[in-house]
Amino acid sequence: LATEIAKEEASAPTTSVSYTETAGILDITAGEKAYTLRLTDAAFLSMKKNGKEYLASPTQWTAWRAPTDNDMNIKARWHTQFDIPRARMYTYAYDIASTDTSLTVTMTGIFASKAKVPLFELTMVYVIDGNGIHVDVDAAQPKQAWIEQIPRFAMQIETVNGFENLEYFAKGPRSNYVDIQNHAYHDIFRANVTDELEDMIMPQECGNHVDAK
């Protein structure tokens, strides 16, 4: 969403960027865009453009998704060893560097559930300028936390109502996966969120598209 809000400016950013910090909360202004970032868990509490709020709830980093049939042998470890559905980002250090046209926030922390071995040790860099937000993540898995497969790792963004239309380059038009993709082909597809839902006998992940760019 952060980059979608601000695609207009393809050249080097010249928009003035400013921020204030209060009790671990950054309020950032970049021209017509405004963001509120919570440093304790690298979560955006607000993303606005021209005063309009785009977030329905704070963003959060997550490694969970609904298991598929192919996950039947590993999903027990996801729960017992790491409690992945409840894993969250916890930052213990941060650094802020700013120029007239950009703000760089570097956060160091762990991704873990309470009383469990951390799934990742992380360094996250958010660069905010007139073009939007660039996110760089360096994640290392501790030796004692090694696991051959995790469900996913992504920033979960719940937007306000109205974001129904999709346009993407990937394999489509129907959902496809690493092991089920012979029916799909690469193209730029236009769809909507409702059409990506598939009513399965046992509810699980759906709407995936391989090679998304």
Side-chain angles (χ1 to χ4, degrees):
L1 171 64
T3 53
E4 289 302 317
I5 290 177
K7 275 187 173 180
E8 308 91 10
E9 302 165 335
S11 58
T14 58
T15 303
S16 177
V17 177
S18 61
Y19 76 96
T20 59
E21 179 185 358
T22 306
I25 302 292
L26 288 185
D27 288 304
I28 306 158
T29 301
E32 61 193 3
K33 306 169 192 73
Y35 311 95
T36 300
L37 174 63
R38 186 168 58 201
L39 296 168
T40 55
D41 59 356
F44 283 99
L45 307 182
S46 175
M47 290 183 179
K48 294 180 180 178
K49 182 178 179 181
N50 293 324
K52 179 182 178 181
E53 179 61 66
Y54 284 81
L55 294 183
S57 64
T59 65
Q60 65 175 5
W61 288 95
T62 178
W64 186 245
R65 58 163 170 76
T68 66
D69 292 336
N70 290 346
D71 301 322
M72 60 185 300
N73 294 322
I74 197 173
K75 65 182 180 181
R77 287 186 63 197
W78 289 347
H79 286 278
T80 59
Q81 185 175 356
F82 299 102
D83 194 16
I84 290 180
R86 295 178 178 82
R88 294 293 181 266
M89 176 71 180
Y90 301 94
T91 61
Y92 51 76
Y94 65 86
D95 178 74
I96 302 171
S98 64
T99 68
D100 291 340
T101 59
S102 71
L103 178 71
T104 301
V105 184
T106 303
M107 293 162 283
T108 305
I110 59 173
F111 185 79
S113 292
K114 293 181 179 179
K116 297 290 185 179
V117 174
L119 192 61
F120 295 119
E121 296 170 346
L122 296 160
T123 298
M124 316 187 80
V125 181
Y126 293 0
V127 179
I128 297 137
D129 58 28
N131 289 334
I133 303 171
H134 174 81
V135 177
D136 183 75
V137 180
D138 182 12
Q141 203 167 22
K143 291 182 179 179
Q144 66 271 29
W146 185 86
I147 188 169
E148 61 273 21
Q149 178 188 353
I150 63 169
R152 68 171 179 177
F153 184 70
M155 179 188 284
Q156 180 174 300
I157 303 175
E158 182 184 1
T159 63
V160 296
N161 291 336
F163 288 89
E164 174 72 10
N165 296 326
L166 304 173
E167 183 176 4
Y168 59 92
F169 175 83
K171 281 194 170 183
R174 298 297 302 276
S175 61
N176 52 87
Y177 301 84
V178 173
D179 58 342
I180 306 177
Q181 56 175 298
N182 289 341
H183 65 287
Y185 56 92
H186 290 98
D187 203 346
I188 297 175
F189 295 98
R190 293 174 178 83
N192 60 65
V193 174
T194 302
D195 289 344
E196 292 294 318
L197 178 65
E198 296 186 22
D199 294 322
M200 300 185 180
I201 296 174
M202 178 179 291
Q204 54 188 287
E205 181 190 4
C206 62
N208 189 74
H209 294 276
V210 173
D211 294 341
K213 306 295 185 184

